[in-house]
Amino acid sequence: MSLLELKGLSVTYAGNVPAVRGVDLSVAPGEVLGIAGESGCGKSTITSAVLRLLPKSAKVGGQVLLDGEDVYGMSFGRLRAMRWAEASIVFQGALHSLNAVQTIGKQIAEPILLHEKVSRQAAERRVGELLEQVGLPARRAKDYPHQLSGGQRQRVMIALALACRPRLVIADEPTTALDVMVQAQVLDLLSGLVRELGLALIMISHDLSVLGAVCDRVAVMYAGQIVEEGPAKDIFDDSRHPYSAALAGAFPRVGDELFRYAPRGLPGDPPYPSDLPSGCAFHPRCPVALDRCAETEVSLADLGEGRSSACLRACEEDLDLRGAS
Ligand SMILES: Nc1ncnc2c1ncn2[C@@H]1O[C@H](COP(=O)(O)OP(=O)(O)OP(=O)(O)O)[C@@H](O)[C@H]1O
Ligand code: SF4
Ligand SMILES: [Mg+2]
């Protein structure tokens, strides 16, 4: 049974900006779902929509079900209880969002004291446990953010997200600001916690190689829609959408000799949501587009074996979806 289910989720920001358009997604306990896509594709908008953190002026359509309960039908009190205690977010750019003049111990204890009726000593004990869970000694609770490295601060953000034992964690670009070694450690840590605690984790990144390393399934977004979804390995090794193929090709993999000589870029940028191309929104950049791609609405179609793609050519055998490279 899914812990989180998005059914036809759409978000339109003020000024008629359709940032998310009809997204269906689900994630089960113990599962890691990745969401990939270039800047502006709607990834963070989905994150905010799940916890009802969007600006009031944004129009939300469809449903967000957390353990079967409609998040948009919750009272404000129920919503407050749900945030942190049932679902929490490691925000994009979180490295800068710790309070510089408060110890990290105090910052992690705050949601515990707010949500769980426990004594200060019990909260402090839990802070120590959380720090150890993310690989930091409990004594670091006394440190201020500036006394920690970037990777250590990111661990603190993960400890914060876990503070009230949520069952769903959404990590929005949790490793973008980190160097490759620390990035690998943080990703190992997150996937280890999923196994240990049976969490459902949604990991958001523009980097498919990051998602390939930790996710069970990956959904690729373009212009506010999911254009491909399937087991992480398949999305990487056998993309069924030219956009996923381009993303997979854009990041080098260790030992990939070919990449050294022919890195495959994707020309241009994704469209702004209020200025979407007709037909398949990817057609102006697609290396294998046909004339009819500009005229035909394309929606996500089931390809079997847990895979789906929104490409008219997804089922063509022997088609190099990266185009000539
Ligand atoms: N408050 C807002 N008002 C109007 N438009 C917005 C607002 N927030 C985001 N957008 C627009 O919605 C689109 C999706 O933004 P979002 O932040 O979800 O993208 P993203 O995929 O997370 O990108 P990134 O990888 O850069 O974080 C963008 O075109 C952005 O300009
Ligand atoms: S539908 Fe056409 S334009 Fe869109 S991804 Fe497929 S081939 Fe490219
Ligand atoms: Mg974002």
Side-chain angles (χ1 to χ4, degrees):
M1 155 110 180
S2 305
L3 181 60
L4 177 73
E5 209 174 343
L6 308 183
K7 286 188 174 176
L9 177 71
S10 53
V11 178
T12 306
Y13 288 113
N16 203 17
V17 181
V20 171
R21 304 183 291 139
V23 164
D24 294 307
L25 270 182
S26 64
V27 58
E31 189 180 35
V32 186
L33 169 73
I35 303 182
E38 285 166 292
S39 185
C41 284
K43 307 179 300 296
S44 296
T45 301
I46 289 189
T47 309
S48 301
V50 169
L51 293 199
R52 260 172 75 180
L53 295 169
L54 291 164
K56 274 209 176 80
S57 56
K59 287 200 190 77
V60 181
Q63 274 189 316
V64 177
L65 300 174
L66 189 61
D67 219 358
E69 191 179 355
D70 186 349
V71 171
Y72 284 78
M74 287 178 183
S75 67
F76 192 64
R78 172 78 191 103
L79 185 65
R80 267 185 35 170
M82 180 273 280
R83 290 179 186 152
W84 291 97
E86 285 168 45
S88 67
I89 300 182
V90 181
F91 282 104
Q92 186 169 17
L95 286 178
H96 310 288
S97 65
L98 287 167
N99 184 340
V101 295
Q102 208 175 45
T103 64
I104 57 164
K106 268 213 165 126
Q107 294 182 61
I108 302 172
E110 196 177 311
I112 301 172
L113 288 166
L114 213 72
H115 283 268
E116 298 175 17
K117 303 277 171 271
V118 294
S119 65
R120 186 159 287 279
Q121 287 90 329
E124 278 168 12
R125 264 199 310 279
R126 172 109 183 99
V127 169
E129 283 165 19
L130 281 162
L131 286 175
E132 282 180 357
Q133 209 160 36
V134 298
L136 290 171
R139 64 183 151 75
R140 301 299 302 258
K142 292 192 180 63
D143 286 354
Y144 289 87
H146 74 270
Q147 292 170 296
L148 302 173
S149 70
Q152 288 168 338
R153 265 181 277 162
Q154 193 59 292
R155 284 164 189 265
V156 170
M157 293 311 304
I158 295 168
L160 249 174
L162 297 174
C164 296
R165 303 180 174 86
R167 292 187 300 147
L168 170 71
V169 173
I170 305 179
D172 193 349
E173 305 270 9
T175 59
T176 306
L178 305 174
D179 70 53
V180 178
M181 295 302 285
V182 182
Q183 179 172 309
Q185 286 168 14
V186 171
L187 292 175
D188 276 352
L189 168 69
L190 275 169
S191 45
L193 288 169
V194 170
R195 279 193 300 275
E196 214 177 289
L197 308 174
L199 296 173
L201 174 67
I202 298 181
M203 176 88 96
I204 294 177
S205 178
H206 60 275
D207 181 343
L208 261 192
S209 63
V210 163
L211 300 181
V214 286
C215 296
D216 302 307
R217 278 186 306 128
V218 169
V220 179
M221 283 191 82
Y222 189 78
Q225 292 181 317
I226 307 253
V227 294
E228 184 169 6
E229 194 195 335
K233 195 177 169 312
D234 293 344
I235 300 265
F236 222 130
D237 294 339
D238 176 32
S239 311
R240 292 282 96 202
H241 192 287
Y243 182 59
S244 326
L247 281 187
F251 293 96
R253 277 193 282 172
V254 177
D256 183 352
E257 276 297 308
L258 258 183
F259 190 90
R260 289 177 54 195
Y261 304 108
R264 307 168 193 99
L266 187 61
D269 294 304
Y272 190 66
S274 56
D275 195 17
L276 294 172
S278 61
C280 169
F282 186 56
H283 85 259
R285 302 171 77 196
C286 180
V288 293
L290 306 169
D291 287 346
R292 63 191 163 101
C293 297
E295 291 139 29
T296 319
E297 284 294 325
V298 194
S299 49
L300 207 57
D302 191 352
L303 303 178
E305 298 177 351
R307 306 195 59 181
S308 50
S309 165
C311 172
L312 296 174
R313 309 190 70 179
C315 295
E316 290 181 31
E317 291 296 328
D318 303 327
L319 175 67
D320 180 3
L321 290 173
R322 285 174 187 159
S325 56

